[in-house]
Amino acid sequence: MSTTGANADPLAALGSLPGVAESVESVRKSVDRVYGHRVMRRRSNEITSEAALRGARGSAALSGADWALEEVRRRSDFGVDDESRVMGAALRLTAEAGQLLSIWRQSPLRVLARLHLVAAASDRAEIGRPRQAGESVDEPLIELPLPGAAEVSGRLEGLSELIIAGGSAPALVTAAVVQGELLALRPFVSHNGLVARAAARIVLVGSGLDPKSVCPAEVGHAELGRAAYLAALDGYVSGTPEGMAAWITHCGSAIELGARESTAVCEALQRGAA
């Protein structure tokens, strides 16, 4: 995404793309339904914990570790094989993201570096910083052309400037652009998908749209499917108004499905208490 030009608030401008305003309103109504549920008034911490687990499971599924929810609950060793390491990384990121809200608006690049460090759980030199020229990327499920290190650096700086400047863009738009840009750039040598979705979660929580983190978009993305996710991402990378709108509305649908998931959890808890 270009972050330069005459428009002082390019993120806000995306809100006027066809279908985006309607998606923003639909997302808001879905989120409000969860927050208005009677169970949320008494047991919001339980809903947050359950949403975190389900969100981590959904994010891991998009990165190749598609486990049943009960398997995630049951397992305690997440370092045995590639899939378990992906799941472990997703769980760690979910726990870490909530600790970084206050830093995000002042230093988003610092937060992204921390997210990668937590996901990779390694002290190798290339961990926790944007990749350098000549370094490869382990992200086999995203087959888009890989931008060079110089382009990555410039676009990350541009994204950081937009976040720090703030603006009037809806949270959905900002979260979609953050996620789409990180997926397109793949700025780290690994775990870019997990980091991108964790960063989008930080935006949704920090913006006030979902302050208790009970509407896990990752659940919705997983439900919509990896093929649809990658097809929508192609639209973002194209940079066309139609492609950008398709990506943003896809992200909106994911949030709505995440909200629906937590509403179902509320209903289950209510039935259990009856």
Side-chain angles (χ1 to χ4, degrees), residues 52-69 72 82-91 94 139-142 193-194 197 217-227 229-230:
L53 185 70
R54 294 179 184 223
R57 192 214 74 81
S59 189
L62 291 168
S63 287
D66 192 359
W67 291 10
L69 185 61
V72 182
D82 288 345
E83 284 196 9
S84 64
R85 283 190 284 272
V86 168
M87 185 61 69
L91 290 166
T94 298
E139 204 75 39
L141 300 178
I142 300 177
L194 295 175
R197 290 183 288 275
E218 303 91 337
V219 168
H221 282 305
E223 185 173 335
L224 291 167
R226 189 185 303 154
Y229 187 68
L230 295 177

Side-chain angles (χ1 to χ4, degrees), residues 167-252:
S168 59
L172 166 61
V173 172
T174 303
V177 167
V178 166
Q179 184 176 179
E181 194 73 352
L182 294 175
L183 291 170
L185 293 177
R186 280 144 293 161
F188 302 108
V189 296
S190 64
H191 298 92
N192 290 286
L194 295 175
V195 167
R197 290 183 288 275
R201 164 61 34 204
I202 290 172
V203 172
L204 295 173
V205 174
S207 68
L209 176 66
D210 182 17
K212 294 183 183 294
S213 195
V214 296
C215 302
E218 303 91 337
V219 168
H221 282 305
E223 185 173 335
L224 291 167
R226 189 185 303 154
Y229 187 68
L230 295 177
L233 178 61
D234 283 343
Y236 177 86
V237 173
S238 76
T240 65
E242 296 79 10
M244 296 291 288
W247 170 249
I248 294 167
T249 56
H250 185 86
C251 291

Side-chain angles (χ1 to χ4, degrees), residues 109-126:
L109 297 185
R110 179 181 165 196
V111 169
L112 293 175
R114 175 62 185 170
L115 290 174
H116 185 240
L117 189 65
V118 168
S122 168
D123 59 0
R124 300 197 313 271
E126 67 271 23

Side-chain angles (χ1 to χ4, degrees), residues 4-90:
T4 61
N7 193 325
D9 193 351
L11 293 181
L14 295 175
S16 64
L17 291 174
V20 172
E22 292 82 356
S23 183
V24 168
E25 180 62 22
S26 184
V27 165
R28 167 54 67 188
K29 289 179 179 178
S30 296
V31 173
D32 285 348
R33 277 194 290 273
V34 179
Y35 279 84
H37 198 286
R38 60 186 299 183
V39 170
M40 276 293 293
R41 292 195 292 271
R42 297 178 286 109
R43 305 175 69 175
S44 64
N45 288 342
E46 292 176 65
I47 307 302
T48 295
S49 295
E50 186 65 20
L53 185 70
R54 294 179 184 223
R57 192 214 74 81
S59 189
L62 291 168
S63 287
D66 192 359
W67 291 10
L69 185 61
E70 292 310 313
E71 177 72 1
V72 182
R73 293 190 202 280
R74 183 185 66 82
R75 290 284 290 270
S76 59
D77 182 355
F78 295 101
V80 175
D81 52 40
D82 288 345
E83 284 196 9
S84 64
R85 283 190 284 272
V86 168
M87 185 61 69

Side-chain angles (χ1 to χ4, degrees), residues 128-180:
R129 61 154 173 78
R131 56 186 168 84
Q132 299 176 357
E135 290 180 337
S136 60
V137 174
D138 181 12
E139 204 75 39
L141 300 178
I142 300 177
E143 299 179 348
L144 295 167
L146 190 67
E151 180 180 351
V152 167
S153 178
R155 286 172 63 174
L156 281 179
E157 286 293 339
L159 182 64
S160 176
E161 289 170 5
L162 286 177
I163 299 300
I164 293 170
S168 59
L172 166 61
V173 172
T174 303
V177 167
V178 166
Q179 184 176 179

